[in-house]
mmCIF file of all heavy atoms in Angstrom:
data_model
loop_
_atom_site.group_PDB
_atom_site.id
_atom_site.type_symbol
_atom_site.label_atom_id
_atom_site.label_comp_id
_atom_site.label_asym_id
_atom_site.label_seq_id
_atom_site.Cartn_x
_atom_site.Cartn_y
_atom_site.Cartn_z
ATOM 1 N N TRP A 139 6.064 -8.366 9.294
ATOM 2 C CA TRP A 139 5.074 -7.717 8.230
ATOM 3 C C TRP A 139 4.615 -8.750 7.254
ATOM 4 O O TRP A 139 3.441 -8.771 6.910
ATOM 5 C CB TRP A 139 6.061 -6.629 7.471
ATOM 6 C CG TRP A 139 5.340 -6.067 6.381
ATOM 7 C CD1 TRP A 139 4.621 -5.061 6.460
ATOM 8 C CD2 TRP A 139 5.417 -6.404 5.056
ATOM 9 N NE1 TRP A 139 3.986 -4.761 5.245
ATOM 10 C CE2 TRP A 139 4.586 -5.592 4.294
ATOM 11 C CE3 TRP A 139 5.935 -7.531 4.342
ATOM 12 C CZ2 TRP A 139 4.415 -5.699 2.934
ATOM 13 C CZ3 TRP A 139 5.846 -7.625 3.011
ATOM 14 C CH2 TRP A 139 5.000 -6.797 2.312
ATOM 15 N N ALA A 140 5.449 -9.759 6.828
ATOM 16 C CA ALA A 140 5.049 -10.788 5.997
ATOM 17 C C ALA A 140 3.924 -11.712 6.573
ATOM 18 O O ALA A 140 3.017 -12.062 5.966
ATOM 19 C CB ALA A 140 6.213 -11.752 5.490
ATOM 20 N N GLU A 141 4.039 -12.017 8.039
ATOM 21 C CA GLU A 141 3.113 -12.676 8.655
ATOM 22 C C GLU A 141 1.770 -11.985 8.797
ATOM 23 O O GLU A 141 0.630 -12.596 8.534
ATOM 24 C CB GLU A 141 3.561 -13.224 10.010
ATOM 25 C CG GLU A 141 2.646 -14.033 10.876
ATOM 26 C CD GLU A 141 2.481 -15.472 10.178
ATOM 27 O OE1 GLU A 141 3.473 -15.910 9.477
ATOM 28 O OE2 GLU A 141 1.550 -16.090 10.457
ATOM 29 N N ARG A 142 1.809 -10.702 8.932
ATOM 30 C CA ARG A 142 0.528 -9.873 8.998
ATOM 31 C C ARG A 142 -0.054 -9.770 7.674
ATOM 32 O O ARG A 142 -1.409 -9.908 7.539
ATOM 33 C CB ARG A 142 0.832 -8.421 9.531
ATOM 34 C CG ARG A 142 0.960 -8.195 10.969
ATOM 35 C CD ARG A 142 0.984 -6.894 11.377
ATOM 36 N NE ARG A 142 1.860 -6.096 10.626
ATOM 37 C CZ ARG A 142 3.271 -5.781 10.977
ATOM 38 N NH1 ARG A 142 3.692 -6.420 12.004
ATOM 39 N NH2 ARG A 142 3.893 -4.996 10.132
ATOM 40 N N SER A 143 0.662 -9.692 6.573
ATOM 41 C CA SER A 143 0.140 -9.636 5.135
ATOM 42 C C SER A 143 -0.388 -10.974 4.948
ATOM 43 O O SER A 143 -1.613 -10.901 4.250
ATOM 44 C CB SER A 143 1.266 -9.299 4.243
ATOM 45 O OG SER A 143 1.801 -8.017 4.441
ATOM 46 N N ARG A 144 0.117 -12.027 5.284
ATOM 47 C CA ARG A 144 -0.458 -13.421 4.946
ATOM 48 C C ARG A 144 -1.820 -13.623 5.627
ATOM 49 O O ARG A 144 -2.741 -14.086 5.121
ATOM 50 C CB ARG A 144 0.513 -14.476 5.295
ATOM 51 C CG ARG A 144 0.130 -15.864 4.954
ATOM 52 C CD ARG A 144 1.056 -16.891 5.415
ATOM 53 N NE ARG A 144 1.030 -17.126 6.872
ATOM 54 C CZ ARG A 144 0.030 -17.641 7.621
ATOM 55 N NH1 ARG A 144 -0.918 -18.213 6.998
ATOM 56 N NH2 ARG A 144 0.073 -17.665 8.856
ATOM 57 N N LYS A 145 -1.852 -13.162 6.907
ATOM 58 C CA LYS A 145 -3.088 -13.402 7.615
ATOM 59 C C LYS A 145 -4.266 -12.487 6.981
ATOM 60 O O LYS A 145 -5.414 -12.840 7.057
ATOM 61 C CB LYS A 145 -2.942 -13.012 9.124
ATOM 62 C CG LYS A 145 -2.167 -13.962 9.810
ATOM 63 C CD LYS A 145 -2.012 -13.661 11.350
ATOM 64 C CE LYS A 145 -1.240 -14.704 12.122
ATOM 65 N NZ LYS A 145 -1.025 -14.283 13.484
ATOM 66 N N ARG A 146 -3.884 -11.173 6.592
ATOM 67 C CA ARG A 146 -4.680 -10.250 6.136
ATOM 68 C C ARG A 146 -5.381 -10.905 4.722
ATOM 69 O O ARG A 146 -6.568 -10.794 4.411
ATOM 70 C CB ARG A 146 -4.200 -9.012 5.769
ATOM 71 C CG ARG A 146 -5.166 -7.937 5.185
ATOM 72 C CD ARG A 146 -4.519 -6.610 5.139
ATOM 73 N NE ARG A 146 -3.265 -6.585 4.280
ATOM 74 C CZ ARG A 146 -3.170 -6.519 2.931
ATOM 75 N NH1 ARG A 146 -4.301 -6.462 2.366
ATOM 76 N NH2 ARG A 146 -2.099 -6.565 2.226
ATOM 77 N N ILE A 147 -4.528 -11.401 3.814
ATOM 78 C CA ILE A 147 -5.001 -12.057 2.477
ATOM 79 C C ILE A 147 -5.835 -13.240 2.855
ATOM 80 O O ILE A 147 -6.783 -13.316 2.158
ATOM 81 C CB ILE A 147 -3.645 -12.414 1.759
ATOM 82 C CG1 ILE A 147 -3.035 -11.183 1.257
ATOM 83 C CG2 ILE A 147 -4.068 -13.343 0.571
ATOM 84 C CD1 ILE A 147 -1.676 -11.439 0.577
ATOM 85 N N LEU A 148 -5.455 -14.087 3.787
ATOM 86 C CA LEU A 148 -6.341 -15.221 4.054
ATOM 87 C C LEU A 148 -7.673 -14.774 4.645
ATOM 88 O O LEU A 148 -8.669 -15.395 4.533
ATOM 89 C CB LEU A 148 -5.675 -16.132 5.118
ATOM 90 C CG LEU A 148 -4.427 -16.852 4.556
ATOM 91 C CD1 LEU A 148 -3.787 -17.741 5.671
ATOM 92 C CD2 LEU A 148 -4.863 -17.875 3.423
ATOM 93 N N ARG A 149 -7.724 -13.653 5.326
ATOM 94 C CA ARG A 149 -9.011 -13.142 5.943
ATOM 95 C C ARG A 149 -9.842 -12.609 4.875
ATOM 96 O O ARG A 149 -11.043 -12.795 4.768
ATOM 97 C CB ARG A 149 -8.622 -12.019 6.976
ATOM 98 C CG ARG A 149 -9.959 -11.646 7.789
ATOM 99 C CD ARG A 149 -9.623 -10.661 8.759
ATOM 100 N NE ARG A 149 -9.107 -9.478 7.951
ATOM 101 C CZ ARG A 149 -8.040 -8.719 8.417
ATOM 102 N NH1 ARG A 149 -7.436 -9.081 9.597
ATOM 103 N NH2 ARG A 149 -7.550 -7.685 7.723
ATOM 104 N N ILE A 150 -9.239 -11.911 3.829
ATOM 105 C CA ILE A 150 -9.900 -11.188 2.848
ATOM 106 C C ILE A 150 -10.456 -12.215 1.709
ATOM 107 O O ILE A 150 -11.622 -12.219 1.233
ATOM 108 C CB ILE A 150 -9.159 -10.179 2.035
ATOM 109 C CG1 ILE A 150 -8.834 -8.978 3.062
ATOM 110 C CG2 ILE A 150 -9.819 -9.682 0.818
ATOM 111 C CD1 ILE A 150 -7.835 -8.066 2.522
ATOM 112 N N LEU A 151 -9.679 -13.159 1.314
ATOM 113 C CA LEU A 151 -9.967 -14.269 0.380
ATOM 114 C C LEU A 151 -10.269 -15.509 1.001
ATOM 115 O O LEU A 151 -9.244 -16.116 1.422
ATOM 116 C CB LEU A 151 -8.915 -14.303 -0.708
ATOM 117 C CG LEU A 151 -8.502 -13.056 -1.400
ATOM 118 C CD1 LEU A 151 -7.236 -13.462 -2.369
ATOM 119 C CD2 LEU A 151 -9.515 -12.626 -2.309
ATOM 120 N N PRO A 152 -11.453 -15.827 1.235
ATOM 121 C CA PRO A 152 -11.747 -17.163 1.913
ATOM 122 C C PRO A 152 -11.218 -18.328 1.140
ATOM 123 O O PRO A 152 -11.113 -18.269 -0.110
ATOM 124 C CB PRO A 152 -13.247 -17.271 2.012
ATOM 125 C CG PRO A 152 -13.782 -16.271 0.962
ATOM 126 C CD PRO A 152 -12.732 -15.265 0.846
ATOM 127 N N ARG A 153 -10.719 -19.288 1.791
ATOM 128 C CA ARG A 153 -10.142 -20.461 1.133
ATOM 129 C C ARG A 153 -11.210 -21.190 0.269
ATOM 130 O O ARG A 153 -12.424 -21.376 0.858
ATOM 131 C CB ARG A 153 -9.590 -21.501 2.039
ATOM 132 C CG ARG A 153 -8.334 -20.899 2.640
ATOM 133 C CD ARG A 153 -7.596 -22.002 3.477
ATOM 134 N NE ARG A 153 -6.321 -21.455 3.793
ATOM 135 C CZ ARG A 153 -5.469 -22.275 4.520
ATOM 136 N NH1 ARG A 153 -5.748 -23.507 4.708
ATOM 137 N NH2 ARG A 153 -4.286 -21.782 4.965
ATOM 138 N N GLN A 154 -11.039 -21.555 -0.830
ATOM 139 C CA GLN A 154 -11.891 -22.300 -1.650
ATOM 140 C C GLN A 154 -11.781 -23.747 -1.560
ATOM 141 O O GLN A 154 -10.629 -24.219 -1.584
ATOM 142 C CB GLN A 154 -11.768 -21.840 -3.104
ATOM 143 C CG GLN A 154 -11.889 -20.390 -3.448
ATOM 144 C CD GLN A 154 -11.641 -20.080 -5.018
ATOM 145 O OE1 GLN A 154 -11.152 -20.912 -5.627
ATOM 146 N NE2 GLN A 154 -11.950 -18.872 -5.241
ATOM 147 N N THR A 155 -12.890 -24.338 -1.242
ATOM 148 C CA THR A 155 -12.758 -25.906 -1.062
ATOM 149 C C THR A 155 -12.820 -26.539 -2.428
ATOM 150 O O THR A 155 -13.516 -26.054 -3.340
ATOM 151 C CB THR A 155 -13.957 -26.299 -0.214
ATOM 152 O OG1 THR A 155 -15.147 -26.062 -0.845
ATOM 153 C CG2 THR A 155 -13.901 -25.847 1.183
ATOM 154 N N LEU A 156 -11.970 -27.488 -2.528
ATOM 155 C CA LEU A 156 -11.884 -28.249 -3.849
ATOM 156 C C LEU A 156 -13.113 -29.190 -3.999
ATOM 157 O O LEU A 156 -13.248 -30.057 -3.144
ATOM 158 C CB LEU A 156 -10.588 -28.963 -3.983
ATOM 159 C CG LEU A 156 -9.428 -28.155 -4.035
ATOM 160 C CD1 LEU A 156 -8.079 -29.009 -4.041
ATOM 161 C CD2 LEU A 156 -9.307 -27.194 -5.226
ATOM 162 N N ALA A 157 -13.960 -28.943 -4.818
ATOM 163 C CA ALA A 157 -15.075 -29.827 -5.215
ATOM 164 C C ALA A 157 -14.756 -31.028 -6.128
ATOM 165 O O ALA A 157 -14.000 -30.823 -6.940
ATOM 166 C CB ALA A 157 -16.187 -28.984 -5.650
ATOM 167 N N THR A 158 -15.134 -32.181 -5.819
ATOM 168 C CA THR A 158 -15.077 -33.289 -6.728
ATOM 169 C C THR A 158 -15.988 -33.051 -7.929
ATOM 170 O O THR A 158 -17.194 -32.980 -7.680
ATOM 171 C CB THR A 158 -15.255 -34.586 -6.020
ATOM 172 O OG1 THR A 158 -14.453 -34.533 -4.743
ATOM 173 C CG2 THR A 158 -14.825 -35.801 -6.912
ATOM 174 N N VAL A 159 -15.325 -33.279 -9.030
ATOM 175 C CA VAL A 159 -16.158 -33.078 -10.254
ATOM 176 C C VAL A 159 -16.171 -34.434 -10.949
ATOM 177 O O VAL A 159 -15.098 -35.126 -11.182
ATOM 178 C CB VAL A 159 -15.571 -32.038 -11.312
ATOM 179 C CG1 VAL A 159 -16.372 -32.013 -12.552
ATOM 180 C CG2 VAL A 159 -15.433 -30.668 -10.583
ATOM 181 N N THR A 160 -17.458 -34.890 -11.297
ATOM 182 C CA THR A 160 -17.612 -36.193 -11.900
ATOM 183 C C THR A 160 -17.811 -36.021 -13.503
ATOM 184 O O THR A 160 -18.760 -35.315 -13.813
ATOM 185 C CB THR A 160 -18.742 -36.879 -11.446
ATOM 186 O OG1 THR A 160 -18.739 -36.893 -10.029
ATOM 187 C CG2 THR A 160 -18.932 -38.279 -12.002
ATOM 188 N N LEU A 161 -16.877 -36.479 -14.214
ATOM 189 C CA LEU A 161 -16.962 -36.218 -15.692
ATOM 190 C C LEU A 161 -17.957 -37.242 -16.297
ATOM 191 O O LEU A 161 -18.068 -38.501 -15.825
ATOM 192 C CB LEU A 161 -15.539 -36.292 -16.312
ATOM 193 C CG LEU A 161 -14.502 -35.333 -15.807
ATOM 194 C CD1 LEU A 161 -13.205 -35.754 -16.389
ATOM 195 C CD2 LEU A 161 -14.907 -33.993 -16.266
ATOM 196 N N PRO A 162 -18.552 -36.966 -17.303
ATOM 197 C CA PRO A 162 -19.410 -37.904 -18.075
ATOM 198 C C PRO A 162 -18.615 -38.949 -18.732
ATOM 199 O O PRO A 162 -17.556 -38.832 -18.917
ATOM 200 C CB PRO A 162 -20.117 -36.976 -19.155
ATOM 201 C CG PRO A 162 -19.328 -35.787 -19.275
ATOM 202 C CD PRO A 162 -18.588 -35.575 -18.012
ATOM 203 N N ALA A 163 -19.295 -40.199 -18.748
ATOM 204 C CA ALA A 163 -18.559 -41.256 -19.334
ATOM 205 C C ALA A 163 -18.199 -41.042 -20.840
ATOM 206 O O ALA A 163 -19.051 -40.454 -21.456
ATOM 207 C CB ALA A 163 -19.500 -42.580 -19.240
ATOM 208 N N ARG A 164 -17.111 -41.410 -21.329
ATOM 209 C CA ARG A 164 -16.724 -41.289 -22.714
ATOM 210 C C ARG A 164 -17.418 -42.303 -23.586
ATOM 211 O O ARG A 164 -17.898 -43.309 -23.086
ATOM 212 C CB ARG A 164 -15.301 -41.455 -22.782
ATOM 213 C CG ARG A 164 -14.473 -40.384 -22.096
ATOM 214 C CD ARG A 164 -12.985 -40.640 -22.230
ATOM 215 N NE ARG A 164 -12.242 -39.461 -21.848
ATOM 216 C CZ ARG A 164 -11.420 -38.875 -22.591
ATOM 217 N NH1 ARG A 164 -11.065 -39.252 -23.825
ATOM 218 N NH2 ARG A 164 -10.723 -37.807 -22.210
ATOM 219 N N GLU A 165 -17.648 -41.831 -24.701
ATOM 220 C CA GLU A 165 -18.348 -42.646 -25.693
ATOM 221 C C GLU A 165 -17.311 -43.736 -26.098
ATOM 222 O O GLU A 165 -16.095 -43.506 -26.275
ATOM 223 C CB GLU A 165 -18.803 -41.919 -26.918
ATOM 224 C CG GLU A 165 -19.870 -40.991 -26.533
ATOM 225 C CD GLU A 165 -20.251 -40.217 -27.789
ATOM 226 O OE1 GLU A 165 -20.269 -40.741 -28.884
ATOM 227 O OE2 GLU A 165 -20.644 -38.970 -27.687
ATOM 228 N N SER A 166 -17.763 -44.944 -26.326
ATOM 229 C CA SER A 166 -16.940 -46.017 -26.947
ATOM 230 C C SER A 166 -16.963 -46.104 -28.421
ATOM 231 O O SER A 166 -18.098 -46.155 -29.049
ATOM 232 C CB SER A 166 -17.433 -47.264 -26.208
ATOM 233 O OG SER A 166 -16.581 -48.308 -26.936
#
C-alpha cells in the first residue's frame, strides 16, 4: 500500500529540477 501511494504521488507531482540561481554581486 505504501509503495503504491509513493508511486501515485510521484506520478501526480512531477519532480522539480533544481535550477542554479546566480545571485547579483554584492556591493563593496
Side-chain angles (χ1 to χ4, degrees):
W139 178 85
E141 186 66 21
R142 283 192 310 269
S143 297
R144 187 185 65 80
K145 286 180 180 178
R146 183 177 55 83
I147 289 171
L148 290 177
R149 189 182 59 224
I150 293 171
L151 302 173
R153 290 190 176 186
Q154 297 175 353
T155 58
L156 296 176
T158 305
V159 177
T160 306
L161 297 174
R164 293 182 170 235
E165 296 180 30
S166 176

